[in-house]
Amino acid sequence: MKPSTVKYLSKKIMASGEIPLLWGHFGVGKTDIAREIAEETGRELIILIISQMEPGDLIGLPSRGSEKTVFLKPDWWPNKDEVIIMIDEINRAHRSIRNAIMQLLIDRRIHNHILPAGAWIMGAANPPDEEYDQVDLITDPAFMSRFFHLELSPDVDDWINWSNQEQVKGEVISFIKEYPEYLSSDNIVSMRLNLRPSPRSWYKLSNVLSNLSENDMKKYGYVIAASIVGSEAARAFLSHLENKVELPNPKDLLIEGKNLERIEKLTNEEKVSLILRINNYFESLKEEDIEQLLSNGDQKTIAENVKNISVFIPKDAMFSVLRFLNEMVEKNKGLKKVFYDKLLEEIAIKLGDSTWMEGI
């Protein structure tokens, strides 16, 4: 998203009591966005570069009280409502530091020190790729589910407007107008996140949606929803709001063989959403579910219905199901690995065409 959109949505998210996390390459303007929001809302900006901090810097040091140990406020702790706390370089910080800020993200407090009621929090991070010095890839879903994840990419028009305000030399501005490809060599932001919905994420989404106008909802509804519950759940949610066709239930399709005729009437976008639902169904199976499926021999039924579904679904979309099952075989152990392996084998037999399996 371009900077002006990220700034607008960040303000909406923070005004709703939630936390945006801005993902972008170096120099793209993450900190500038925080400064502009602070200036526009009359707030003090406190920037915590947590990759350079120790836990004591973040949470304060212990002190001896009359009968028990108490923790002193860290020197950055705000004393007024009109403040934005920007937690910068989140994915370059050591895990111990990220653990230390969890209480701040969850309860808006550290030890017995409570944030002022009106304080806003936002975060910033570089994409998790080889160009950046990172301690480790953040994969903890409990940590990442605290944020609305916004991708920030450079935009020529936004930058020219900003540079005019900042009195950047005319020669530089005219060059970028003539050669916009030189504004930045990094235009793609890959967050490598697998955002999944949870009861908490739907609650957080509801908080932000309550603060959006009808026009905001039309323009940004999907972006906001996808940033907290993931793209598939966001598509289903927006389709529900727009009264589009309801997608068939994956379990009904795969186990019962019901509603197969409805697939033909779906649009290509809805068919892709259905494939994502099928993949999520496979991934969400618990061991007791798998035991029941194996004992009933349902892997053969599922394979037969996958073949029936393939009649209505583009071949490249169906490949994603096979590739996903192959990934499940590789990443799981024990009973789950056995089930996914057997299922993949049964599907290969039912499809009866070796070119299908070459796609994985």
Side-chain angles (χ1 to χ4, degrees):
M1 285 182 286
K2 63 183 182 180
S4 57
T5 301
V6 170
K7 183 174 77 170
Y8 182 77
L9 295 181
S10 294
K11 288 169 70 174
K12 288 289 186 181
I13 291 167
M14 289 189 286
S16 307
E18 302 298 342
I19 308 172
L21 175 54
L22 278 52
W23 293 85
H25 290 284
F26 68 93
V28 77
K30 299 184 291 293
T31 306
D32 286 330
I33 285 175
R35 289 197 179 99
E36 289 177 13
I37 294 175
E39 183 178 336
E40 292 169 7
T41 57
R43 292 170 177 269
E44 176 189 359
L45 177 62
I46 298 173
I47 300 176
L48 304 179
I49 304 178
I50 61 173
S51 63
Q52 301 173 14
M53 300 177 78
E54 299 290 337
D57 301 326
L58 188 65
I59 65 176
L61 296 174
S63 176
R64 182 177 179 179
S66 56
E67 295 182 354
K68 57 184 179 182
T69 299
V70 296
F71 279 81
L72 303 173
K73 290 181 181 179
D75 62 355
W76 58 267
W77 193 262
N79 296 311
K80 59 182 181 180
D81 284 358
E82 296 78 19
V83 66
I84 298 176
I85 300 171
M86 183 182 190
I87 305 170
D88 200 3
E89 298 190 350
I90 282 179
N91 59 339
R92 298 181 71 180
H94 193 272
R95 186 179 286 112
S96 62
I97 301 295
R98 297 201 301 269
N99 290 340
I101 67 169
M102 278 295 280
Q103 190 182 22
L104 184 66
L105 301 177
I106 297 170
D107 299 324
R108 294 175 58 84
R109 67 185 294 162
I110 290 180
H111 299 306
N112 57 322
H113 307 308
I114 302 173
L115 275 183
W120 288 0
I121 304 174
M122 65 188 301
N126 296 123
D129 58 35
E130 296 177 356
E131 291 186 0
Y132 298 98
D133 181 16
Q134 299 177 71
V135 176
D136 54 11
L137 180 64
I138 305 176
T139 57
D140 182 359
F143 182 83
M144 300 308 262
S145 67
R146 305 292 169 181
F147 304 98
F148 283 77
H149 299 267
L150 304 178
E151 299 178 17
L152 177 61
S153 299
D155 178 83
V156 173
D157 291 336
D158 267 19
W159 185 85
I160 289 173
N161 291 335
W162 173 86
S163 62
N164 283 320
Q165 294 171 8
E166 297 296 318
Q167 298 181 337
V168 174
K169 287 186 69 65
E171 295 89 337
V172 174
I173 296 174
S174 64
F175 175 79
I176 295 301
K177 284 181 178 179
E178 187 70 24
Y179 300 98
E181 65 271 21
Y182 288 115
L183 176 62
S184 174
S185 59
D186 298 304
N187 293 312
I188 298 175
V189 179
S190 175
M191 298 185 293
R192 290 168 63 185
L193 295 176
N194 181 24
L195 296 176
R196 293 172 292 178
S198 69
R200 177 175 59 237
S201 62
W202 287 113
Y203 172 76
K204 288 179 173 292
L205 177 60
S206 174
N207 288 341
V208 176
L209 295 184
S210 298
N211 205 25
L212 296 183
S213 67
E214 184 177 344
N215 188 51
D216 285 338
M217 192 64 194
K218 289 179 181 178
K219 289 178 67 176
Y220 307 119
Y222 172 75
V223 172
I224 286 287
S227 72
I228 186 75
V229 300
S231 58
E232 185 218 340
R235 273 194 292 267
F237 176 62
L238 267 294
S239 294
H240 171 73
L241 294 184
E242 296 169 4
N243 294 317
K244 289 185 177 179
V245 63
E246 184 177 346
L247 296 178
N249 183 290
K251 187 175 180 180
D252 290 343
L253 287 173
L254 296 169
I255 307 297
E256 305 295 333
K258 295 179 180 177
N259 301 318
L260 289 166
E261 70 284 350
R262 288 174 52 192
I263 301 176
E264 188 174 11
K265 300 176 183 177
L266 299 178
T267 66
N268 285 337
E269 182 180 350
E270 289 163 348
K271 288 176 181 179
V272 171
S273 293
L274 177 61
I275 290 298
L276 291 171
R277 289 194 73 188
I278 289 173
N279 286 347
N280 277 354
Y281 168 74
F282 286 137
E283 186 176 24
S284 66
L285 289 173
K286 300 176 182 176
E287 288 216 356
E288 52 265 35
D289 300 323
I290 288 175
E291 286 178 0
Q292 187 67 41
L293 291 171
L294 287 171
S295 66
N296 294 339
D298 283 334
Q299 69 271 17
K300 295 185 178 181
T301 302
I302 294 173
E304 180 65 34
N305 286 323
V306 166
K307 179 182 178 181
N308 294 334
I309 291 169
S310 71
V311 174
F312 307 107
I313 299 290
K315 196 167 185 178
D316 57 344
M318 284 304 300
F319 274 140
S320 72
V321 175
L322 303 181
R323 284 192 292 266
F324 182 79
L325 288 173
N326 191 55
E327 289 174 10
M328 291 296 99
V329 172
E330 294 175 354
K331 72 184 284 189
N332 284 283
K333 298 179 180 179
L335 187 63
K336 284 192 172 185
K337 183 181 180 69
V338 170
F339 171 73
Y340 293 125
D341 196 28
K342 282 191 174 184
L343 180 57
L344 196 58
E345 182 181 347
E346 289 291 341
I347 291 174
I349 293 171
K350 292 292 182 182
L351 291 174
D353 183 348
S354 62
T355 60
W356 278 99
M357 303 312 292
E358 290 171 5
I360 65 173

